[in-house]
């Protein structure tokens, strides 16, 4: 396992960690001041700005984009709605390519409103992903399936485990010609008794590694993530497994924290982020 202590060049900050209070340009400058190696921006931050300017700024700061967040949900009642989502995701792949993103993150959607057919939702997602794969290959940005905690199956993601994500990879891209892969987000996966087995299985399909911590008590199951070291997850043990499987990319911090970190200044959050990753990841 790599020694990442005091190695901010091996860290990435998912910009959601900063609560969307600062511009993307400001975030890049603040991260560069701390020698942080990468960011993972959100599509909402690219609206009404010049993406080419952001790409040039990243290059000048020698920073990478570890992933572009995140996909438009694939699940919907009508074919027209589903095709519209695919069109949006195709455009997002183009933007990811402009930023030279390492992957395009997929949060796939849950049940369409009023539906109880989970199998149909999963079918819709796989069909949507299938339609994106040729364009993903053409623009050189792999798609990363991100399984979320089962608590989100109804409204955010019918993809719930790493095993399920890898099964979909094997089904949709059996030969690896499209570089379809997965993101290992420990907040969503730490509880899984099969996690280490599936990380080993994933191997080169691991495209991103996200860290945060599970707090006790957790007062909001989506927006109360902890800084590494503040909760119950054995982050280093999971990172060791991920790196043993062959992952050598950046360690990406992704925190949703409406009652805590989102209320602090960008400097305070970034300073704490660097310290926490160094000590506890």
């Amino acid at each position: 396992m790599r020694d990442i202590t005091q190695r901010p060049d091996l860290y990435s900050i998912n910009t959601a960690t900063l609560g969307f209070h600062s511009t993307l340009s400001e975030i890049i400058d603040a991260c560069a001041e701390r020698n942080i190696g990468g960011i993972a921006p959100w599509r909402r931050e690219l609206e009404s700005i010049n993406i080419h300017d952001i790409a040039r700024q990243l290059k000048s700061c020698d920073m990478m984009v570890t992933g572009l967040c995140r996909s438009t949900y694939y699940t919907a009642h009508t074919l027209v709605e589903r095709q519209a989502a695919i069109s949006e995701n195709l455009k997002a792949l183009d933007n990811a390519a402009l930023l030279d993103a390492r992957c395009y993150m997929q949060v796939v959607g849950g049940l369409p409103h009023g539906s109880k057919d989970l199998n149909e939702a999963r079918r819709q997602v796989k069909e949507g992903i299938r339609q994106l794969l040729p364009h993903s290959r053409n623009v050189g940005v792999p798609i990363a399936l991100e399984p979320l905690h089962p608590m989100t199956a109804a409204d955010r993601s019918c993809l719930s485990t790493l095993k399920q994500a890898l099964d979909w990879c094997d089904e949709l891209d059996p030969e690896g010609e499209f570089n379809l892969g997965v993101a290992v987000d420990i907040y969503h996966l730490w509880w899984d008794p099969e996690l280490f087995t599936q990380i080993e299985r994933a191997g080169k399909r691991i495209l991103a590694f996200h860290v945060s911590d599970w707090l006790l008590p957790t007062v909001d199951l989506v927006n109360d993530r902890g800084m590494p070291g503040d909760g119950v997850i054995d982050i280093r043990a999971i990172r060791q497994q991920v790196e043993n499987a062959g992952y050598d990319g950046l360690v990406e911090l992704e925190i949703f924290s409406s009652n805590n970190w989102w209320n602090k200044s960008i400097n305070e959050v970034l300073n704490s982020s660097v310290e926490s990753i160094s000590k506890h990841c």
Side-chain angles (χ1 to χ4, degrees), residues 156-190:
R156 296 177 66 209
S157 178
C158 58
L159 176 62
S160 302
T161 67
L162 186 55
K163 179 182 185 303
Q164 185 185 12
L166 291 170
D167 287 347
W168 288 11
C169 287
D170 290 344
E171 177 182 347
L172 298 172
D173 188 22
E175 303 301 324
E177 62 178 308
F178 301 109
N179 293 316
L180 179 62
V182 298
V184 175
D185 186 324
I186 64 173
Y187 186 79
H188 292 290
L189 299 176
W190 71 276

Side-chain angles (χ1 to χ4, degrees), residues 14-245:
N14 187 293
T15 56
T17 304
L18 303 170
F20 302 109
H21 302 311
S22 303
T23 68
L24 198 50
S25 181
E26 290 169 342
I27 292 170
I28 294 169
D29 284 342
C31 287
E33 289 175 4
R34 295 162 174 82
N35 297 315
I36 293 170
I39 62 169
W42 284 62
R43 289 164 59 193
R44 61 190 278 186
E45 296 173 292
L46 301 177
E47 297 173 359
S48 303
I49 66 171
N50 189 316
I51 297 178
H52 295 279
D53 289 343
I54 293 298
R56 283 190 289 268
Q57 184 182 3
L58 286 163
K59 185 175 182 179
S60 69
C61 294
D62 195 25
M63 294 175 63
M64 71 169 62
V65 171
T66 49
L68 179 62
C69 299
R70 59 174 170 76
S71 59
T72 299
Y73 293 165
Y74 294 92
T75 55
H77 283 293
T78 69
L79 180 59
V80 171
E81 292 173 297
R82 295 195 293 276
Q83 286 300 133
I86 291 169
S87 295
E88 289 297 315
N89 285 319
L90 289 170
K91 294 175 185 176
L93 275 170
D94 291 334
N95 287 336
L98 290 174
L99 295 172
D100 196 23
R102 295 300 184 264
C103 61
Y104 177 37
M105 302 302 308
Q106 304 293 293
V107 175
V108 299
L111 293 170
H113 182 70
S115 172
K116 295 185 179 181
D117 193 341
L118 196 54
N119 288 330
E120 170 59 17
R122 289 168 175 158
R123 186 200 68 78
Q124 291 178 9
V125 171
K126 287 190 287 184
E127 180 56 30
I129 298 292
R130 193 189 310 275
Q131 293 186 52
L132 257 64
L133 288 175
H135 194 60
S136 164
R137 178 178 58 189
N138 290 342
V139 301
V141 178
I143 287 172
L145 303 177
E146 182 177 12
L148 301 193
H149 195 285
M151 66 188 175
T152 71
D155 60 347
R156 296 177 66 209
S157 178
C158 58
L159 176 62
S160 302
T161 67
L162 186 55
K163 179 182 185 303
Q164 185 185 12
L166 291 170
D167 287 347
W168 288 11
C169 287
D170 290 344
E171 177 182 347
L172 298 172
D173 188 22
E175 303 301 324
E177 62 178 308
F178 301 109
N179 293 316
L180 179 62
V182 298
V184 175
D185 186 324
I186 64 173
Y187 186 79
H188 292 290
L189 299 176
W190 71 276
W191 57 272
D192 188 349
E194 292 189 90
L195 179 58
F196 285 6
T197 299
Q198 295 304 318
I199 287 174
E200 181 179 7
R201 173 191 171 191
K204 65 180 182 180
R205 288 200 189 269
I206 301 175
L207 301 177
F209 178 56
H210 299 175
V211 299
S212 60
D213 219 333
W214 189 282
L215 300 177
L216 279 180
T218 293
V219 300
D220 184 305
L221 293 176
V222 175
N223 293 320
D224 192 32
R225 298 190 189 191
M227 196 67 74
D230 289 345
V232 300
I233 302 177
D234 190 343
I235 299 174
R236 281 187 175 154
I238 299 175
R239 181 168 71 86
Q240 180 171 10
Q241 294 299 315
V242 167
E243 294 187 359
N244 286 348

